[in-house]
Amino acid sequence: MSWTDERVETLKKMWSEGQSASQIAKELGGVTRNAVIGKVHRLGLSNRTAPGAAAPKPEPKAKPAPKVEAAKPKPAPKPIEPESTPEPAAEAPKPSLPARKQIIPAGQPLPPQPSANEISPEALAKVSEIEKKAKKIGLMELTERTCKWPVGDPATEDFWFCGLPVQQGKPYCEAHVGVAFQPMSARRDRRR
DNA sequence: CCCTGATTCGC
DNA sequence: GCGAATCAGG
């Protein structure tokens, strides 16, 4: 396929409408989103905003340039930082020592199984609801993109993993992420 | 993982 | 000019 006037016109129109490159490519057919983006740039309408503002890329990111491979600036030899807890987990382990690193290897916070937790009723409801839809996969079926939330007693036949599509980085699906990563407000005060 | 646009560079 | 490959960010 080539960029006929008509196709270019469609491209311009859709692009100005805010359509994504992939959508445009799909509409046009015979081209990939890369082609669309490339064309967009060549047409000079990359920036969907007013062309007046000019202060684009003062920093051209160095890339694999097989051409002139001169000197490699090696500024930061990686000074090991203390690195405090990057993301507060559900139950923050008390740092008994200031500069003490977490004992937890690389794992995500383990799923709090049963009732011991008081999570937002919402989340819980959501969980029990999705557990119906759960794929109930076995240990072997676990992949990088399956929710690894265990359900039931591992010592029983009645044990399975959620298996639903995980949320991006997380090890669990959305619903389970909701209960796994508590903001930190749980049972603050039990008016006992 | 999915998606997005941006850039490079051989064709 | 074209666009796949790659990068970078969400």
Side-chain angles (χ1 to χ4, degrees):
Chain A
M1 279 299 207
S2 60
W3 286 108
T4 64
D5 276 13
E6 192 176 318
R7 290 167 65 80
V8 171
E9 195 178 331
T10 306
L11 166 59
K12 285 180 179 174
K13 182 174 182 294
M14 293 185 71
W15 184 259
S16 60
E17 285 175 5
Q19 304 273 359
S20 71
S22 62
Q23 284 177 311
I24 298 173
K26 190 172 132 193
E27 172 69 27
L28 290 173
V31 286
T32 65
R33 74 180 192 93
N34 278 319
V36 170
I37 292 173
K39 186 59 178 175
V40 162
H41 278 238
R42 266 172 263 122
L43 288 174
L45 34 70
S46 61
N47 196 351
R48 296 196 218 213
T49 65
K57 308 288 177 181
E59 187 180 347
K61 276 136 196 182
K63 283 271 290 306
K67 288 276 184 179
V68 196
E69 190 90 16
K72 280 191 175 177
K74 196 177 286 181
K78 169 110 180 179
I80 304 167
E81 283 186 49
E83 187 178 347
S84 57
T85 40
E87 293 197 10
E91 299 175 71
K94 275 130 188 179
S96 36
L97 293 180
R100 196 57 187 154
K101 208 168 184 186
Q102 299 259 128
I103 310 174
I104 303 172
Q108 311 283 343
L110 291 177
Q113 259 313 310
S115 52
N117 272 302
E118 299 178 27
I119 305 162
S120 52
E122 285 183 31
L124 281 181
K126 202 174 180 181
V127 167
S128 51
E129 195 169 313
I130 66 103
E131 282 186 2
K132 297 173 187 171
K133 300 176 186 173
K135 296 177 65 179
K136 301 190 177 182
I137 62 176
L139 181 58
M140 308 316 169
E141 283 78 48
L142 284 177
T143 73
E144 333 276 295
R145 71 186 71 174
T146 58
C147 178
K148 297 164 188 61
W149 189 274
V151 178
D153 190 335
T156 316
E157 291 293 301
D158 194 23
F159 177 71
W160 37 269
F161 293 91
C162 174
L164 261 39
V166 297
Q167 199 170 37
Q168 279 208 300
K170 276 58 168 210
Y172 310 123
C173 66
E174 182 185 326
H176 285 137
V177 163
V179 294
F181 298 87
Q182 274 301 298
M184 62 138 269
S185 59
R187 53 12 162 69
R188 195 178 36 188
D189 71 309
R190 53 285 165 115
R191 64 233 162 89
R192 206 169 287 180

